[in-house]
Amino acid sequence: MTESSDTPVPDLALLQEAIASGDPVRAMPALTQLRFVSDADAVPLLVLGTEQKPFLVRSLSCSGLGYKRTEQGWEVLSRLLVNDEDPNVRAEAANALASYGVEQAWPLLQHAFAADDAWLVRCSILSALAEQPEINLSWLMELATMAITDADGTVRVSGAEILGRLVRDGAGQAIGDQARALLQPLQQDSDHRVVAAALNGLQSS
């Protein structure tokens, strides 16, 4: 998004100074101002934000890179998805990568889901991909099958909800029957939220 005619163009030098300070009180408002500048001007400053110590600054910078999409931004997000120490940042990187398109993001997100056991990261990947109407249903099945075996109930809920979608969208197909079979035992899950999601999914066809 570029600046509107009645919005003053932010001073890039001042924004860079604020972001480089690493102080969230200064850096966060500066990062939000980058929506008013071009992708070419914004991305280097968003990348600078991903290099700061406070996770809030890195996380907001990742979010910005999901809107200001360039090759440099993709490469930075791909690295942060795997290497950042904070699950909040990895989760935001996953969301941002999904905005580049499900076909491009799928290999990275598939690998991250399998390798990262942080519930926040896993739920973010599930949510980001489930929102993609054009996603291959077999990809959702692959993630949901892993999700329902997770130790964290919140991840299992997300997996059960995706299985419910597969029951509905895959009605009359083998994948719909497979999703229904996976939902059946979740009615006895130890987490009542998972049980509720399973029941909803089984009733959705």
Side-chain angles (χ1 to χ4, degrees), residues 151-163:
D152 189 280
T154 305
V155 179
R156 296 202 304 280
V157 169
S158 294
E161 289 173 345
I162 287 178
L163 289 175

Side-chain angles (χ1 to χ4, degrees), residues 100-147:
Y100 280 73
V102 65
E103 292 285 344
Q104 183 176 350
W106 166 250
L108 287 175
L109 298 182
Q110 175 196 35
H111 180 268
F113 189 91
D116 198 324
D117 60 2
W119 72 268
L120 183 58
V121 176
R122 285 191 143 197
C123 285
S124 291
I125 292 172
L126 289 171
S127 176
L129 291 177
E131 291 172 359
Q132 308 291 328
E134 76 281 8
I135 191 170
N136 187 317
L137 294 184
S138 66
W139 293 354
L140 287 180
M141 174 62 79
E142 180 179 340
L143 295 187
T145 303
M146 287 190 280

Side-chain angles (χ1 to χ4, degrees), residues 45-58:
L45 297 185
L46 289 166
V47 171
L48 176 64
T50 68
E51 297 166 352
Q52 303 309 307
K53 189 170 184 180
F55 82 88
L56 286 171
V57 176
R58 299 201 306 280

Side-chain angles (χ1 to χ4, degrees), residues 13-188:
L14 290 178
L15 295 184
Q16 180 174 356
E17 180 185 357
I19 294 168
S21 74
D23 178 359
V25 175
R26 296 182 60 201
M28 303 282 277
L31 288 167
T32 62
Q33 287 294 304
L34 293 177
R35 60 185 174 170
F36 298 117
V37 305
S38 69
D39 292 6
D41 286 333
V43 168
L45 297 185
L46 289 166
V47 171
L48 176 64
T50 68
E51 297 166 352
Q52 303 309 307
K53 189 170 184 180
F55 82 88
L56 286 171
V57 176
R58 299 201 306 280
S59 183
L60 184 59
S61 299
C62 287
S63 177
L65 289 172
Y67 291 98
K68 302 288 189 178
R69 294 188 283 272
T70 68
E71 185 61 36
Q72 182 188 14
W74 171 267
E75 292 171 1
V76 170
L77 289 168
S78 301
R79 186 175 70 249
L80 292 171
L81 176 67
V82 176
N83 294 330
D84 197 279
E85 64 187 21
D86 194 292
N88 292 279
V89 178
R90 300 197 302 276
E92 201 58 66
N95 278 325
L97 287 167
S99 71
Y100 280 73
V102 65
E103 292 285 344
Q104 183 176 350
W106 166 250
L108 287 175
L109 298 182
Q110 175 196 35
H111 180 268
F113 189 91
D116 198 324
D117 60 2
W119 72 268
L120 183 58
V121 176
R122 285 191 143 197
C123 285
S124 291
I125 292 172
L126 289 171
S127 176
L129 291 177
E131 291 172 359
Q132 308 291 328
E134 76 281 8
I135 191 170
N136 187 317
L137 294 184
S138 66
W139 293 354
L140 287 180
M141 174 62 79
E142 180 179 340
L143 295 187
T145 303
M146 287 190 280
I148 59 174
T149 66
D150 197 287
D152 189 280
T154 305
V155 179
R156 296 202 304 280
V157 169
S158 294
E161 289 173 345
I162 287 178
L163 289 175
R165 171 183 168 178
L166 293 173
V167 168
R168 184 174 62 253
D169 293 357
Q173 304 174 44
I175 197 165
D177 295 337
Q178 183 185 354
R180 177 172 286 279
L182 289 172
L183 279 173
Q184 296 282 358
L186 295 180
Q187 296 175 93
Q188 280 75 50

